[in-house]
Amino acid sequence: MGMTNEGERPPGRPPTGAAFLLAQLGAHAAELFAERLAELHLTPPQGGLLRLLADSPGRSQRELADDLGMPPSRFVAFADELEERGLIERRRNPADRRLYAVHLTDEGVKLLAGLRKVGAEHERRMTDGLSEQERDQLTGLLRRLADRQGLRPGVHPGFRTVRAERPGRGGGRRKGRGAPPPVR
Amino acid sequence: MGMTNEGERPPGRPPTGAAFLLAQLGAHAAELFAERLAELHLTPPQGGLLRLLADSPGRSQRELADDLGMPPSRFVAFADELEERGLIERRRNPADRRLYAVHLTDEGVKLLAGLRKVGAEHERRMTDGLSEQERDQLTGLLRRLADRQGLRPGVHPGFRTVRAERPGRGGGRRKGRGAPPPVR
DNA sequence: AGATAATGATTACAATCTGAAACGATTGTC
DNA sequence: GACAATCGTTTCAGATTGTAATCATTATCT
């Protein structure tokens, strides 16, 4: 009884095991959540930053970019937009003038409340059809899996696109004029 | 007692409800599977096409592109590569010379076997740490959720990147020279 | 202190990706 | 036979990506 013969199926039958369902439902959940977020004119990473800032304000852009799983270069335009919309704020760190301390504005805090509501509604929507007991059961199983897989709670998926590994990769390499950040 | 007050938490606590875990684990599962697939020099959509062709050979490119959730224009280069690698084959449909009938080659069938093995291993890897009973329990719950959410079994997630809704969207619009497909 | 390395923020930019529309060939309809 | 609909294809502009160059600062040597 040691060897199981999983993976053997009638030739044309689709697998639909737990892993596949997980990926499918995960994508669906992310898509649905993105739709709800769009009502607040937010993308998932934008919502992620807001939540991150609520938890621990005043961190540097580098740290935040790391947590969000995006390169610092992308973070700039990303933060620019949110700042223009008056949701976040870059404050100077007097102790180290290289780095900015990113904070939520009052407007940002207000939007965060809406985001939390949307999140709770999304939660209900996704687990619709399950009894409360079943929902707890599911959450418990998922949490154990996430734990076992080494996923930290609260870190965003990212959902980067999967690319083929092409021979000639790598971005451009040229001069670039650079730019000064703080000072004045 | 109609109103529940979910969604209310101590300010800085991360949610980590079922929906979030689902998205997180789903992304993780997809990423892990993509890594394993890369060993076979395949991307997830490529693997999806192979499985699709195994189930129902000879369908038109348009249909396949639809099932894969990709625009027909993208499907062309996509299929070209797989054809160059000798995994699939475009056969002429004598009845309707507009459309191609896409089939798996012998090489493609061989690779599909490897793909199935990788899939089974991935399944085990993702549900590691669960007893067989718990795994069945999880699969059952997920299947019910997927069903309730209207997800067909076997259709690929896709994992499209979530984009912000920008004012100036829409692709280019120019002349384009067009091209003849079949004939000869 | 002076020089040098390291770090945060930023921009420039090449390569890639994306999808809508134009298009030729064909088939269906009246 | 004219006209609309389809399939496969190519074109092409716009968006996206990430690496490297760069400036201002700060830390580390010596």
Side-chain angles (χ1 to χ4, degrees), chain A residues 79-94:
Chain A
D80 280 349
E81 187 184 329
L82 257 33
E83 191 172 36
E84 278 171 28
R85 286 171 55 183
L87 299 174
I88 69 174
E89 189 175 44
R90 286 185 245 226
R91 296 185 199 156
R92 186 67 50 102
N93 184 335

Side-chain angles (χ1 to χ4, degrees), chain B residues 1 4 15 25 29-30 33 40 49 54 57 62 73 75 82-83 92 98 107 116 118-119 125 143 146 158:
Chain B
M1 296 283 183
T4 57
L25 276 166
F33 188 56
L40 306 177
L49 178 59
R62 157 81 58 172
S73 58
F75 188 87
L82 257 33
E83 191 172 34
R92 186 67 50 102
R98 281 174 306 182
E107 199 71 30
R116 288 222 164 94
V118 162
R125 168 100 166 63
R143 215 187 297 270

Side-chain angles (χ1 to χ4, degrees), chain B residues 86-100:
Chain B
L87 299 174
I88 69 173
E89 190 174 43
R90 287 186 243 224
R91 296 187 200 154
R92 186 67 50 102
N93 184 335
D96 189 336
R97 290 212 304 272
R98 281 174 306 182
L99 29 72
Y100 279 125

Side-chain angles (χ1 to χ4, degrees), chain A residues 15-165:
Chain A
T16 321
F20 187 89
L21 286 167
L22 232 32
Q24 195 181 24
L25 276 166
H28 181 69
E31 188 183 331
L32 226 58
F33 188 56
E35 280 176 21
R36 301 285 283 120
L37 235 42
E39 297 170 15
L40 305 177
H41 304 284
L42 285 178
T43 64
Q46 286 173 343
L49 178 59
L50 262 45
R51 255 189 359 194
L52 225 46
L53 291 181
D55 274 359
S56 46
R59 299 209 292 152
S60 79
Q61 300 192 158
R62 157 81 59 171
E63 285 177 306
L64 294 169
D66 265 4
D67 274 14
L68 255 46
M70 80 173 53
S73 59
R74 251 211 299 163
F75 188 88
V76 176
F78 180 71
D80 280 349
E81 187 184 329
L82 257 33
E83 191 172 36
E84 278 171 28
R85 286 171 55 183
L87 299 174
I88 69 174
E89 189 175 44
R90 286 185 245 226
R91 296 185 199 156
R92 186 67 50 102
N93 184 335
D96 189 337
R97 290 212 305 272
R98 280 174 306 182
L99 28 73
Y100 279 124
V102 186
H103 287 267
L104 232 42
T105 65
D106 291 346
E107 198 71 30
V109 174
K110 228 191 301 185
L111 190 56
L112 185 71
L115 190 152
R116 288 221 164 94
K117 182 148 76 175
V118 162
E121 285 173 11
H122 173 63
E123 179 71 28
R124 271 192 291 275
R125 169 100 167 62
M126 278 304 297
T127 56
D128 187 42
L130 260 49
S131 74
E132 188 174 350
Q133 184 186 350
E134 288 169 327
R135 195 161 42 100
D136 288 350
Q137 202 171 77
L138 175 67
T139 307
L141 288 170
L142 293 178
R143 215 187 297 270
R144 273 177 52 194
L145 278 190
D147 198 50
R148 175 76 62 147
Q149 299 287 326
L151 302 171
R152 251 98 25 101
V155 175
H156 255 248
F159 278 96
R160 265 187 285 285
T161 15
V162 181
R163 293 193 204 296
E165 55 166 333

